[in-house]
Amino acid sequence: MNESKDESGPAGREIRNVGIIAHIDAGKTSLTEKLLQRTGVIRYAGEVAEGTTVTDWLPQERERGISIISAAVTCRWGDAQVNLIDTPGHVDFTAEVERTLEALDGVIAVFCGVHGVQAQSETVWRRAERHGKPAIAFVNKLDRDGADYARTVKNIGERLGVTAVAMQVPIVGAEGFRGMADVLTGLLIDENGAVLEDLSSTDDVWFARESLIETLAGFDDDIVAAALEDSGPDEKLIRRALRKAVLERRVMPVFGGSAKLGLGVRQLLDAICCYLPRPDEACREAKGGGRRLLVFKVQREAHDTMTQVCVRVLEGNVHAGDSLWNTRTRQWLVVSGIYRMFAGTCEPLDDAGYGDIVMLGGLEGDVVTGDVLTSTCQTTTAASMAFPEPVVSVVMECATGAQPSEVREALTMMCLADPTLMVHEGPLAGQWTLKGMGELHLEIVRERLKTEYGLAVTYGRPQVSYRRTVTATGRGECMFEKRLVTGEVQRAGVRLRLEPLERGGGVETDFGDVAADVTEVVGEVVERTLRLLVREGLGDDMPLADMRIVLEQVVCFEGETTEPALLIACRKAVSEALEDGSPVTLEPVMAVEIAAPEDSVGKLLDDLKARRGRVTEVNSVGGSQARIVSLVPLGELFGYASALRSLSGGRGEFVAEPSLYVPLPSC
Ligand code: GDP
Ligand code: MG
């Protein structure tokens, strides 16, 4: 009998929300395709010929306006509904990675059996770990010369600092790689599940099974007790203990195969369902009475007609036709439809339950990645919007052949999906200023414009976004008065002070006693004006940071105080107060993580020092690889990718993300 049918919805209890993370080229795309194919063949038997790849179906799907390579695509395996969530390949998309990790419950980390753990996969893995996500690993490309499953398992343990356990034994015959024998059953199966061989009595399988049991005995008393018996722990007990250990993130079971040959895919699907958590098991706040959804991705592939607003249901459930409150924009939105994306079809749903991942229709343009939608009108939850401000900007223009209107539309779509990317037109006609989280982040935008949209643009030199703050309380006032040629007079007066806040404190505005003196209209204009000044600075494109703006007086004159007059008075008062408050310029500092061969560490450290970098950690991660963690001012980091290449003999890699702002040293 099924246990109680709770509010988790029809398939709620057997949902798996998983993301695949991998270093570029490890085989994420090939594996996803094979996972969809394997499950799709079963669901759509007769519709899809065996051997057809997702990419082959793309053209006709494009015509229907739905792309298969979706932010999340659902497949079914046995009783479970598996939502495969596309995790961004580039860790530089900070916001996207963070939101995606929040939306999923478990991770499949894919490694290349030839190259082992590479820098990018290690970095994304560390993020997943910070989010507390249980993970299983898949060693891919075991059909290739030089691939070594056992070595990669060891490498995973060492580099990631996890207890990695081999769950399979690779079987190689005269004709090459045949597949993976399961350590628990000893069976080598083909991709349809038929048993090819029973290898349970071989030394390799026996040894792997013993070491798995030994590892589990370290955490599980039932295993210890069973291991003392002659028969040893049975398969069921081992699976239960392993599942618990994975959920507690004590163990990372490692599977393997070849995405290219489609070997090991079936066993991986079994493992996803067996060892990764259901939504209600993933540590998440309790299900409340309300309804809460996280928008973790808004995307529209080039030339698609439908925008995908991809949400994770965090609490309650959602029905087509429901009104939802966007806590960021403070607006009600109506969900016109709910959809589930399968490989090849898009299924409309009446509702979606707790823990599920679906696309919402009707919200185009009103939501961006990271928005939280609720059923009741709530004030903004600060945590849900804490995206870092862009730290670098570049001026770009159309290269010959690209249409400005097309570039504009493509950029708008990318900004919707990525809140850390901002764009505005100018400074000159036909130019855009693009702001983002790092040089690479902006480079990727250029790449995507070219490859996905077929639009060529040229870039200027990247510029650091500096900010201004005060180090002492500064006061300023302005009584503005101007007589126009028409004889009309415009007047407004503003007095205010700026108080320093601690670093990272943002900007607060405080109307204090003034609030009672001004009308709602005037208050609104002043607030809007201050917000603009904070964002754009005083004509120098340097936003204000880390200060409280306290209004002391706003003077209005009946019939003479206009919006432009208030704007000028505010601007002058802020400018005066800034000068009075011992202002300093702040520069962004990036947290930089470098992976490189140990013998290049000396040169790299010298170079970081020359870049005003502060090294916080240097350690060896095995395989004569070292990891360096440091803080480096962004202004010193331009072109670092090529510098690192030459200093490390082409074998170094790095990731950088904005970390903090510090006063620019006076030179
Ligand atoms: P991604 O960058 O992680 O998405 O990797 P892809 O799936 O695009 O694969 C990168 C390259 O590796 C492609 O040329 C694939 O054909 C190849 N590849 C992927 N999986 C395998 C595999 O299991 N065996 C072999 N020999 N090649 C593979
Ligand atoms: Mg790929």
Side-chain angles (χ1 to χ4, degrees):
M1 271 296 286
N2 244 347
E3 287 171 53
S4 67
K5 273 228 163 203
D6 63 9
E7 68 274 34
S8 53
R13 302 182 66 81
E14 286 309 331
I15 290 176
R16 298 291 180 281
N17 294 316
V18 294
I20 302 181
I21 59 176
H23 188 95
I24 269 172
D25 270 359
K28 187 175 102 164
T29 303
S30 312
L31 182 63
T32 307
E33 212 162 70
K34 284 296 193 301
L35 289 170
L36 294 178
Q37 191 184 342
R38 168 94 354 248
T39 53
V41 167
I42 287 157
R43 186 176 156 79
Y44 300 110
E47 283 179 44
V48 180
E50 179 91 47
T52 315
T53 65
V54 170
T55 4
D56 290 339
W57 326 335
L58 267 168
Q60 80 257 26
E61 287 310 314
R62 290 277 188 221
E63 275 169 26
R64 279 196 264 153
I66 304 161
S67 79
I68 296 163
I69 310 303
S70 162
V73 46
T74 297
C75 52
R76 293 195 201 279
W77 188 246
D79 292 337
Q81 170 191 319
V82 180
N83 297 321
L84 281 176
I85 300 156
D86 183 38
T87 53
H90 297 280
V91 278
D92 308 78
F93 288 165
T94 317
E96 243 182 84
V97 177
E98 295 293 318
R99 287 301 162 243
T100 306
L101 285 173
E102 243 170 83
L104 50 79
D105 297 322
V107 165
I108 307 165
V110 178
F111 301 99
C112 167
V114 181
H115 293 115
V117 180
Q118 291 156 290
Q120 195 88 338
S121 42
E122 184 179 340
T123 314
V124 191
W125 156 253
R126 297 220 178 278
R127 281 191 192 214
E129 202 184 21
R130 248 186 297 175
H131 280 255
K133 303 299 176 184
I136 59 179
F138 183 79
V139 180
N140 190 32
K141 304 200 187 182
L142 290 179
D143 61 293
R144 269 187 56 180
D145 281 350
D148 189 332
Y149 172 74
R151 184 187 62 208
T152 311
V153 176
K154 191 155 167 275
N155 191 222
I156 292 170
E158 288 171 356
R159 289 277 306 257
L160 306 187
V162 296
T163 306
V165 288
M167 297 298 298
Q168 296 169 318
V169 172
I171 304 300
V172 182
E175 67 285 17
F177 180 61
R178 293 179 65 205
M180 303 296 284
D182 188 280
V183 164
L184 297 182
T185 61
L187 300 179
L188 173 69
I189 57 171
D190 71 10
E191 281 307 296
N192 296 314
V195 176
L196 298 176
E197 212 170 325
D198 183 350
L199 296 153
S200 48
S201 54
T202 62
D203 286 354
D204 285 350
V205 170
W206 181 85
F207 182 76
R209 185 182 154 103
E210 285 304 301
S211 64
L212 170 63
I213 293 170
E214 198 178 302
T215 305
L216 292 174
F219 329 111
D220 197 292
D221 292 344
D222 291 346
I223 295 280
V224 178
L228 296 176
E229 312 263 334
D230 283 347
S231 55
D234 64 12
E235 190 187 326
K236 203 168 144 203
L237 183 62
I238 296 175
R239 281 190 200 280
R240 201 175 65 208
L242 183 58
R243 174 161 220 272
K244 187 159 167 281
V246 172
L247 297 193
E248 290 170 357
R249 297 189 302 125
R250 291 162 175 270
V251 164
M252 193 191 235
V254 185
F255 299 82
S258 162
K260 186 175 175 189
L261 305 180
L263 295 175
V265 176
R266 166 177 281 272
Q267 295 92 321
L268 181 63
L269 281 161
D270 285 340
I272 291 170
C273 299
C274 188
Y275 304 116
L276 290 178
R278 299 187 305 257
D280 57 309
E281 290 171 308
C283 46
R284 206 171 279 281
E285 55 272 61
K287 292 174 254 177
R291 179 182 293 148
R292 215 154 58 84
L293 292 87
L294 171 73
V295 178
F296 66 92
K297 185 127 181 186
V298 178
Q299 74 168 25
R300 189 167 64 185
E301 305 259 320
H303 316 302
D304 265 3
T305 50
M306 191 176 118
T307 304
Q308 299 174 1
V309 175
C310 205
V311 296
R312 152 100 196 204
V313 185
L314 297 175
E315 264 179 59
N317 50 19
V318 58
H319 304 264
D322 276 351
S323 292
L324 294 173
W325 174 256
N326 185 334
T327 56
R328 177 183 58 89
T329 60
R330 298 166 184 234
Q331 273 179 343
W332 285 103
L333 305 166
V334 178
V335 176
S336 66
I338 303 177
Y339 307 92
R340 190 183 306 294
M341 308 295 272
F342 288 102
T345 53
C346 166
E347 182 184 286
L349 304 173
D350 295 331
D351 54 15
Y354 164 77
D356 210 345
I357 283 183
V358 289
M359 311 288 162
L360 299 185
L363 308 182
E364 290 84 353
D366 296 322
V367 292
V368 299
T369 301
D371 279 355
V372 173
L373 311 175
T374 60
S375 50
T376 49
C377 163
Q378 293 177 354
T379 46
T380 316
T381 36
S384 71
M385 307 187 32
F387 287 118
E389 293 280 322
V391 289
V392 55
S393 68
V394 78
V395 174
M396 53 169 270
E397 47 190 83
C398 292
T400 37
Q403 285 297 321
S405 60
E406 289 178 19
V407 173
R408 187 177 300 121
E409 193 185 334
L411 288 174
T412 309
M413 264 328 293
M414 286 189 214
C415 288
L416 271 183
D418 180 358
T420 59
L421 184 68
M422 289 181 194
V423 67
H424 63 254
E425 303 214 35
L428 301 177
Q431 291 185 334
W432 288 270
T433 303
L434 201 61
K435 292 187 177 182
M437 307 308 294
E439 199 182 3
L440 186 58
H441 190 189
L442 299 180
E443 258 314 307
I444 289 165
V445 173
R446 168 155 65 179
E447 262 317 295
R448 288 185 60 195
L449 283 174
K450 196 163 100 199
T451 54
E452 290 176 28
Y453 295 84
L455 298 167
V457 295
T458 57
Y459 270 21
R461 278 169 64 86
Q463 306 280 335
V464 177
S465 293
Y466 295 103
R467 296 180 184 182
R468 299 256 281 172
T469 191
V470 288
T471 55
T473 299
R475 295 172 195 283
E477 64 182 310
C478 170
M479 183 59 79
F480 174 78
E481 181 170 344
K482 180 160 186 159
R483 187 174 293 276
L484 305 180
V485 280
T486 54
E488 190 190 328
V489 178
Q490 294 209 359
R491 284 204 286 171
V494 172
R495 193 176 76 219
L496 50 75
R497 65 174 190 274
L498 305 179
E499 298 172 351
L501 290 181
E502 63 184 47
R503 209 58 70 230
V507 178
E508 295 172 5
T509 47
D510 183 349
F511 274 62
D513 299 339
V514 178
D517 303 341
V518 297
T519 63
E520 205 174 305
V521 177
V522 170
E524 204 259 326
V525 171
V526 171
E527 171 122 43
R528 187 153 26 96
T529 306
L530 290 179
R531 236 185 294 140
L532 187 78
L533 290 178
V534 167
R535 205 175 56 231
E536 300 191 347
L538 298 154
D540 50 8
D541 201 21
M542 265 200 254
L544 305 184
D546 307 343
M547 61 174 76
R548 179 182 291 119
I549 306 176
V550 186
L551 282 160
E552 295 178 344
Q553 200 183 17
V554 175
V555 190
C556 297
F557 300 88
E558 186 76 39
E560 294 177 351
T561 298
T562 58
E563 191 165 332
L566 275 171
L567 199 152
I568 295 170
C570 280
R571 176 183 289 274
K572 290 199 164 157
V574 169
S575 165
E576 196 177 297
L578 198 62
E579 280 317 305
D580 186 44
S582 312
V584 287
T585 301
L586 299 174
E587 66 170 342
V589 173
M590 309 291 276
V592 181
E593 199 174 316
I594 302 162
E598 266 168 356
D599 56 18
S600 60
V601 166
K603 276 186 283 181
L604 290 170
L605 293 181
D606 286 346
D607 175 69
L608 286 172
K609 201 164 147 203
R611 294 175 188 270
R612 294 193 284 128
R614 188 158 62 82
V615 175
T616 53
E617 227 182 291
V618 182
N619 41 43
S620 162
V621 288
S624 24
Q625 282 279 310
R627 175 167 159 268
I628 304 173
V629 185
S630 61
L631 292 166
V632 188
L634 174 61
E636 306 283 346
L637 215 52
F638 291 140
Y640 189 62
S642 60
L644 176 62
R645 251 196 312 278
S646 72
L647 290 170
S648 66
R651 288 174 300 155
E653 284 171 320
F654 82 108
V655 249
E657 63 181 11
S659 173
L660 70 167
Y661 272 83
V662 301
L664 193 65
S666 43
C667 34

